[in-house]
Amino acid sequence: GPTKYNEVDLPVAVDRVPTGEFRIGDTRADLRLRIEQLLQSKEAVPESRWTELSSETPAVLVEMLNDEAVLSREAIFHRLITVLGQLKVRRAIGRLSAILSDKKARPVTRAYVANALGRIGDSAAIDALITSANEKDDMVRRQVTIALGRIDNEAVVPHLLKLNDDKSIAVSEVAAEALGRWESKGKPGRRATSVS
């Protein structure tokens, strides 16, 4: 090898294999890691797996709606929206409603949001859903109609009546089914007056 000129050998740390294994702890950051792992799962995650994580899981899920790392991965973002609906996280309604009203959001994302709002089933989502009931995209209108049909508030009936006459059969059929459920409850359905 090359000649050495009285150089001192530098100390070298001995490579060591860690003796323990990496474990996720109980901090909020650790909870976030667990949530991300479940969101990336290729299989459907049962509701019980989400609820057993932590009482803070819904709050972290809502925070993730604004996270650029999540927003940049559409499949993960859609899974997050779906989970919020599955868990009926009411505190997500405001942010989900903003996404539904955002004209820059892709129709598929807005359809996921409408579905989640319907699964949450809270009257607080009615305004955002009604605003999106006039969307050009049939898929979004259909999911909005399904969502309105899931909300147990008579304020949705006039809008379902209007959607019952939608040009898309996929939308009008869903509206008719929802109106039928209202009638079976003994509440106004098809015979109610339409939106003026």
Side-chain angles (χ1 to χ4, degrees):
T3 311
K4 267 185 145 177
Y5 299 99
N6 297 327
E7 294 176 5
V8 179
D9 288 332
L10 297 173
V12 177
V14 178
D15 288 337
R16 294 185 194 156
V17 176
T19 56
E21 61 183 76
F22 174 74
R23 291 183 187 266
I24 298 176
D26 292 327
T27 67
R28 195 169 175 93
D30 295 328
L31 174 60
R32 165 76 187 237
L33 283 173
R34 284 190 186 100
I35 289 172
E36 285 182 8
Q37 287 173 345
L38 289 177
L39 287 173
Q40 292 173 14
S41 172
K42 294 192 187 307
E43 297 172 9
V45 178
E47 187 176 330
S48 60
R49 288 278 307 274
W50 293 104
T51 55
E52 69 190 19
L53 284 178
S54 167
S55 61
E56 294 210 23
T57 300
V60 173
L61 287 167
V62 173
E63 288 171 10
M64 290 174 75
L65 283 172
N66 295 317
D67 188 314
E68 287 299 322
V70 175
L71 292 170
S72 66
R73 297 181 294 174
E74 189 176 57
I76 300 296
F77 187 51
H78 291 167
R79 172 89 47 101
L80 171 63
I81 292 167
T82 302
V83 169
L84 288 165
Q86 177 186 5
L87 299 179
K88 299 181 182 353
V89 180
R90 293 179 65 210
R91 68 179 83 178
I93 292 173
R95 178 67 181 120
L96 290 173
S97 295
I99 296 168
L100 183 62
S101 301
D102 182 3
K103 302 296 182 193
K104 294 177 185 171
R106 287 179 20 125
V108 66
T109 299
R110 296 174 73 213
Y112 270 98
V113 169
N115 184 287
L117 288 171
R119 290 187 181 282
I120 294 169
D122 194 279
S123 297
I126 292 175
D127 289 340
L129 290 166
I130 289 170
T131 302
S132 297
N134 297 321
E135 278 302 307
K136 291 179 182 176
D137 189 279
D138 291 354
M139 175 179 56
V140 174
R141 279 197 327 279
R142 183 174 192 278
Q143 287 302 322
V144 164
T145 306
I146 291 169
L148 287 170
R150 289 179 174 157
I151 297 175
D152 191 23
N153 185 319
E154 289 187 22
V156 303
V157 173
H159 303 284
L160 289 171
L161 283 165
K162 185 176 178 184
L163 290 162
N164 191 37
D165 295 329
D166 195 271
K167 63 182 179 185
S168 168
I169 293 173
V171 175
S172 61
E173 284 180 350
V174 171
E177 288 173 16
L179 289 167
R181 286 192 299 274
W182 276 100
E183 284 184 353
S184 70
K185 294 178 188 178
K187 297 179 180 179
R190 297 174 210 263
R191 292 181 295 273
T193 58
S194 64
V195 178
S196 47

